[in-house]
Amino acid sequence: MGKRIALVTGAAQGIGFACAEALVADGFRVVLSDVNAEGLAEATAKIGGDAVSMVCDMSDVAAIGALFDRIEAEIGPVGALVNNAGIGLPGSFLEYPLEDFQKVLDVNVTGVFAATQRAAQTMVEKAIKGAIVNMSSINAVVAIPAIPAYCASKGAVMQLTKASSLALAEHGIRVNAVGPGSIDTEMMAAVNSNPAAMQKALSRTPLGRMGEAKEIADAVAFLISDKASYITGETIYVDGGRLGQNYPV
């Protein structure tokens, strides 16, 4: 029996890359996918071993279907899926372009649904008791006015996680989500380079530091593993205590 196959989207950097590393370490053959072809090639080479790369735009439903077709034809059926790809596109609420709002939803919600559905179809057909982990955010619960589309999309991911977990439970397929807080990744570069912004972010974080991408990846790897065999439909928030604090102390 060969290794289980995992697909991680948005894997060229940051949390997605850390998830791919964690799953390779756990014995999976991992397909890294991203729209950034150059970054994806570098990330895959860095991991080496059982990591392979396939470029895909997660806003393109047809491309998502083609990605799964290719994985199944060249490697085998996906038994673990990490829907990590996501975009933010910040802007002023009163002037926020509808096109930007739609772009965010295309990647963060429609792409997640399409990948989950396609992965689950093969899991059911092949009787694979698979695991799917979606990347949500604390912004599924708390909002930031400058990223309205992102907040809306992550709330949708939380509910999509619940709905799909109920639909797929009878097939032994588990669906969960991880909701990061302030994590030291490329998306937080603007905060990292601004001491005032960093202090503001840390004032909302009881543990008093930024999280690391590996800490998100560890939660993802746990939810995919058999150690989480009785967990489905949940969102685990890895946020340094952020959601438990209603004001800076």
Side-chain angles (χ1 to χ4, degrees):
M1 184 175 179
K3 290 188 174 184
R4 289 180 67 194
I5 299 163
L7 168 62
V8 181
T9 69
Q13 60 185 12
I15 290 172
F17 175 75
C19 289
E21 277 193 313
L23 293 179
V24 166
D26 281 353
F28 284 86
R29 185 166 191 199
V30 180
V31 178
L32 287 77
S33 181
D34 204 288
V35 70
N36 176 3
E38 184 178 346
L40 182 63
E42 292 175 359
T44 306
K46 194 178 295 183
I47 294 176
D50 283 315
V52 297
S53 64
M54 297 187 185
V55 176
C56 183
D57 179 355
M58 293 303 292
S59 71
D60 184 338
V61 172
I64 292 170
L67 171 65
F68 278 90
D69 289 345
R70 182 183 171 192
I71 294 170
E72 291 170 6
E74 296 181 10
I75 305 173
V78 171
L81 168 64
V82 181
N83 281 311
N84 171 72
I87 58 175
L89 301 183
S92 169
F93 185 86
L94 292 177
E95 300 168 357
Y96 201 85
L98 183 59
E99 306 83 62
D100 284 1
F101 195 90
Q102 191 61 58
K103 284 178 184 177
V104 173
L105 295 187
D106 285 346
V107 176
N108 296 11
V109 182
T110 305
V112 170
F113 170 76
T116 297
Q117 183 185 60
R118 180 62 180 77
Q121 287 169 345
T122 295
M123 289 176 186
V124 171
E125 179 187 343
K126 303 288 187 182
I128 297 170
K129 296 187 185 301
I132 298 169
V133 178
N134 300 323
M135 199 57 63
S136 186
S137 167
I138 58 170
N139 293 126
V141 180
V142 294
I144 298 174
I147 49 172
Y150 184 83
C151 293
S153 73
K154 294 307 182 179
V157 167
M158 178 178 66
Q159 286 295 84
L160 178 58
T161 298
K162 292 179 181 179
S164 55
S165 74
L166 297 175
L168 300 174
E170 66 178 289
H171 302 289
I173 300 168
R174 298 182 299 104
V175 187
N176 291 290
V178 172
S182 297
I183 308 300
D184 188 10
T185 65
E186 291 80 358
M187 286 187 73
M188 290 292 292
V191 173
N192 292 345
S193 62
N194 185 328
M198 173 68 83
Q199 181 55 40
K200 188 174 182 180
L202 294 183
S203 75
R204 300 192 298 258
T205 306
L207 286 183
R209 65 172 177 85
M210 294 283 230
E212 298 177 6
K214 182 182 183 303
E215 292 174 304
I216 304 302
D218 286 343
V220 169
F222 164 71
L223 288 172
I224 285 175
S225 77
D226 290 340
K227 293 179 180 179
S229 58
Y230 201 52
I231 301 175
T232 195
E234 299 295 336
T235 298
I236 294 180
Y237 293 100
V238 184
D239 66 353
R242 168 73 177 90
L243 291 180
Q245 176 174 276
N246 68 349
Y247 63 91
V249 293

